[in-house]
Amino acid sequence: MRVTQSMLSNNFLKNISNSYEKMGKISEQMQTQKKITRPSDDPVVAMKGIAYRTSLTEVQQFKRNFSEAHNWLDNTDAALDQATKALQRIRELTVKAANGTLESDQREAVAKEIEQLRDQLKEIGNTQVGDKYLFNGTDTLNKPIGDIANNPSDVSNNSNSVKLELSKGVYIEVNSTDVFNKDLFEGLNKLVDDLKSGNDQVDLNDSIVDIDKSINHIINERATVGARSNRIDLMEDRIDQQEINATKMMSKNEDVDMEKVITDLITQEAVQRASLGMGARIIQPTLLDFLR
Amino acid sequence: MFSTFHGLETAKRGMNTQQSALYVTGQNISNANTLGYTRQRVNFEASPAYPAASMNRPQIPGQMGTGVQAGSIQRVRESFIDQQYRGENNKFGYWSTKAESLAKLEDIMNEPSDSGLAATLGQFWQSLQDLSVNPENDGARSVVLQRGQAVAETFHYLSSSMKEVKKDLGNEINVSIRNINSILEQIGNVNKQISEIEPHGYIPNDLYDERDRLVDELSSYVNIKIETTKSGGNPSSIAEGIYNIKMIDENGQETSLIDGSKFGKITEIDEETSLGQLNIIGSDNSSNNLSFDKIAKGKLSGLIESFGYLENGNGTEKGIYPEMLKQLNDLASTFITKFNEQHVKGWTLDGNQGEEFFGGSNAEDIKVLITSNENIAAAGSKDSVAGDGKNAIDLANVQSTANITSKYQSIIGKLGVDAQQANRLTANSGNLLQSVDERRQSVSAVSIDEEFINMIKYQQAYNASARNITIVDEMLDKIINGMGLGGR
């Protein structure tokens, strides 16, 4: 083929600009650390990228939900622990009073202490974490227990469960309901009244049975909370693993392979140098230079 | 007998002819870098021998050559390669235009990234999850409203950016039409000039170059076919004649754009209303309406396919931008409907039934209707709703239940595949174009070295002719001054 200078220089220009374009692509990959910057670079990577990002956001969101679930359960457990202790003390006092060996002023004192413990149970029932009341079902902005000293039935019976989504489609109940109920406070008020009545023949055994029931109820609830807590821990482990996997998948899908990019860069640099070198050579002296 | 000065005349012709060849060489060298210039060559031919055969020819043995003359000055060019070049240029024009508008679309969609629609929807989804965990929290509610706003704004942004580019494309169509019309007029004028020169037997090489350059340019816009007709009068046998140019549509239908010095034109479109057809005024003044989807491949059809057109002139709107806008609107519409459907199932903080969260029905007019935080229906049931985030979870899940993500994913996937194909075909047709151009250059481009060699050749021949004159001169000197002096 007949080749002319202008053909050589045009080709040179074209090649050198192609080479620069490739350099540009590589430097873009270096800077962004991503294989692709637009869907047409690799539509499959782009599509998968969207899916992986979505699942990663999901996983990260679930992780965020976990801390809230722990918040609920840990605080509930602590409250139930205190409630158990208070009830056990009440039981101790009641058993002592039931012996019939106490003077009336001693019974009065026991009644006073039980009153205090009852109020403490009320406070525990009104436990608030942040702006939430833990023991009022979904009615988290209102105190569940009112002035039970005068009106023992002033106890909310909202038993709607608060459920959090902790992984795709799995809803975990995080609140405990029906722990500090009307019966508990009515029972305690009756006990106090009985103790204050001055009649030391009053049979307190019913009260003891009631208190035992309440203690059992709370212990059962604690067990449930503990079991849930365990389950959540397990789920959290799994979600952590999922996060690692999702991140890994995403990275594999769209992050650059540094070794490859650096190799590409070096190769391209060599091509670039060669092209430039060639450019310097094709601008040769013409025949004229030899015709002196 | 030959004339006394026959030898002088022969040598003079030689000098003249070599000189003209040297001038053409100079012209070639000067235009070595001129776009569209074709190297020229002097076709040498022996001048008519003496005597010419005739009744009263002198009775001499044999014919005597009378030297050389420049028969013609011709472009060195292959019209077959031109035809190939124009075919490839046409495809390249089509694909590069499409690739460019798809690239703009990719820029607008900006995926995959942390700021595209997918990311914005993701953040909205997250804010709903946060709300489900803390439904009584005013901050969480505010975030939901803000993120909802961001989703609406992202839809607006995408929609309005696409419309902007679509409008630019409409402008570009008219700019292209103006270019085409200008090229047609220029070719018509060049044709006219050629038709005035050729009858005299001249070869207007520079006009041919200009005309071919214009035709090359025209070929990138529309699919054309060239037929040539001879000029009248007494044209040279190597005269290239007049170009008649026809535009060919998808069905092979031809419309004459150039007929000698007469040229047609394309009527500019109204970007707002005209989506149906292109009006072409043929060179014979006929008015032809060509439906947009019948325009054969080329830059013009690439632009139209990006801008949009009505199928069969009146059907549904097709094209890269209108279809993308439609997909985006459909996505927005599904999103609005499904989200609202779920939102009205929930209960607000005040225990009221949820109202519609989003207003509008497409990407353009989507807006957040809820104005106060309490009115977000996060609760799943009517009573004691503060801590009930059931509906917020369901709202967050609308994204997957209504397939918003996967629909969006397929939109981006299709865009990617389309753009990738356009890029690939642009590169392919670009390569083919380049290799055809190279072949054309191989034939027609000026090689400086070659011209220098010619220069030496012509100079030496010129010198030799001059030298020949000296010899003839010496011979004449002998005849005039050296003869007839016998015995003196």
Side-chain angles (χ1 to χ4, degrees), chain A residues 38 40 64 68 138 140 158, chain B residues 106-107 130 133 136 384 387:
Chain A
R38 38 179 60 227
S40 58
R64 231 148 88 178
E68 193 59 29
T138 54
T140 51
N158 189 319
Chain B
E106 286 188 293
D107 287 341
D130 280 338
V133 173
E136 62 282 272
S384 321

Side-chain angles (χ1 to χ4, degrees), chain A residues 201-264:
Chain A
Q201 297 310 310
V202 176
D203 185 9
L204 296 176
N205 280 329
D206 282 352
S207 291
I208 294 173
V209 172
D210 281 349
I211 292 165
D212 279 345
K213 262 189 202 155
S214 292
I215 291 176
N216 270 335
H217 181 59
I218 291 178
I219 287 173
N220 280 339
E221 196 57 38
R222 273 192 85 187
T224 312
V225 168
R228 268 189 210 142
S229 221
N230 272 343
R231 183 173 168 205
I232 288 176
D233 284 343
L234 285 175
M235 283 175 72
E236 202 173 8
D237 278 352
R238 201 168 60 226
I239 283 285
D240 280 345
Q241 196 57 45
Q242 270 181 19
E243 189 190 19
I244 294 169
N245 287 344
T247 314
K248 217 194 301 182
M249 296 273 267
M250 200 169 109
S251 158
K252 238 184 183 166
N253 183 52
E254 51 188 79
D255 286 0
V256 289
D257 178 355
M258 267 319 249
E259 290 89 338
K260 185 175 176 299
V261 181
I262 291 170
T263 313
D264 284 351

Side-chain angles (χ1 to χ4, degrees), chain B residues 76 84 127 170 181 185 208 264 293 322 324 347 390 405 418 423:
Chain B
V76 184
Q84 280 187 319
S127 73
N181 289 341
E185 184 176 350
Y208 294 159
D293 49 353
M324 189 51 134
W347 301 87
K390 177 71 179 62
T405 313
D418 285 351
N423 290 344

Side-chain angles (χ1 to χ4, degrees), chain A residues 165-202:
Chain A
E165 190 180 19
L166 293 180
S167 74
K168 197 90 194 150
V170 181
Y171 305 95
I172 303 283
E173 190 178 333
V174 289
N175 64 335
S176 295
T177 53
D178 197 32
V179 182
F180 302 94
N181 51 22
K182 190 173 81 179
D183 295 347
L184 173 68
F185 292 109
E186 273 170 359
L188 290 178
N189 278 2
K190 180 175 177 291
L191 176 61
V192 172
D193 287 346
D194 287 347
L195 287 170
K196 280 181 173 175
S197 66
N199 177 1
D200 56 2
Q201 297 310 310
V202 176

Side-chain angles (χ1 to χ4, degrees), chain A residues 68 71-72 75 125-144 162, chain B residues 130-131 133-141 349 385-388:
Chain A
E68 193 59 29
N71 209 12
W72 272 97
N75 283 303
N126 283 340
T127 301
Q128 203 180 4
V129 175
D131 44 9
K132 284 183 216 278
Y133 289 97
L134 292 188
F135 297 100
N136 200 9
T138 54
D139 193 4
T140 51
L141 288 183
N142 294 312
K143 273 187 190 177
V162 172
Chain B
D130 280 338
L131 176 66
V133 173
N134 286 305
E136 62 282 272
N137 186 296
D138 204 39
R141 287 175 177 265
L349 205 49
V385 290
D388 181 358

